[in-house]
Amino acid sequence: AELGIARSDWRRLAWIALALGTFSAISPHRFGSEGLTRTREKDRVLTEVATYLDTNAGPNEGLYVLGGDPVLYYLSGRSAPTKYFFWLYLTDRWDAILDSRASVIADFAESPPEWFVYGPHDLQVPEIEEIMFSRYALVQEIGDYQVARLVTP
C-alpha cells in the first residue's frame, strides 16, 4: 500500500477519476437546469443497468461496454475484458496507432465476456458490432442502453 491506500482501492479510484473526467470533458449539457436534468436521468439509467447486471449476472461473468460509459464497469463491480475498454480507443485515429480493434476482437475470441452493454454513441465499429449481434442475444433495454448476453461463444 502506498500512501495508506491498498492497490485494489487505487484501481477503484482510477475508474472513478476516469469516469468523472470523461463525463466532464465530453458532456455538452454540463451546465443549466436542462443539462442537470439530463445528467440525473442518465445517472438513473446507468444505475438501473448496473442493478440489472448485479441481479442477473453471476459474480465472475465478464462485461464489455460499447459506448461512452466506462463507469458501468465500476457501478457493476466488473472489469473490462480488454485493455481497450473505452470507445475513444476504437476510433480510426487510435486504431491506426494501437491496432485496438484487432486487439479487442482477439480478446473476445480468447475469452468472450458473458455480457455486452451497447450504449448510445456516434462511433461505428462494424467489427465489434458484428460480434455483438451474432453472438449475443438482447435480454433487456434500459433507456438508451441494450443489455445482451452471450449465447454463442
Side-chain angles (χ1 to χ4, degrees), residues 54 57 121:
D54 286 343
H121 63 283

Side-chain angles (χ1 to χ4, degrees), residues 2-121:
E2 191 174 296
L3 300 175
I5 300 174
R7 179 174 223 162
S8 61
D9 291 334
W10 277 111
R11 188 174 186 190
R12 286 193 176 125
L13 291 171
W15 278 111
I16 293 169
L18 174 68
L20 292 174
T22 300
F23 175 77
S24 65
I26 64 173
S27 176
H29 305 289
R30 324 184 262 228
F31 304 107
S33 60
E34 181 181 328
L36 189 56
T37 301
R38 288 183 186 175
T39 301
R40 286 183 181 146
E41 175 61 16
K42 184 173 183 176
D43 289 348
R44 185 195 62 75
V45 170
L46 289 172
T47 301
E48 193 174 330
V49 171
T51 300
Y52 179 85
L53 291 167
D54 286 343
T55 304
N56 295 284
N60 297 320
E61 291 183 336
L63 167 68
Y64 186 74
V65 178
L66 184 59
D69 298 301
V71 72
L72 278 172
Y73 295 115
Y74 176 75
L75 292 174
S76 67
R78 298 173 192 287
S79 297
T82 179
K83 64 183 175 182
Y84 300 113
F85 60 89
F86 188 55
W87 68 268
L88 180 66
Y89 298 120
L90 302 175
T91 60
D92 291 337
R93 173 183 235 165
W94 284 100
D95 184 52
I97 298 167
L98 302 170
D99 201 21
S100 50
R101 292 179 189 177
S103 178
V104 169
I105 291 167
D107 290 340
F108 282 3
E110 183 179 319
S111 181
E114 288 82 2
W115 295 88
F116 199 120
V117 174
Y118 190 80
H121 63 283

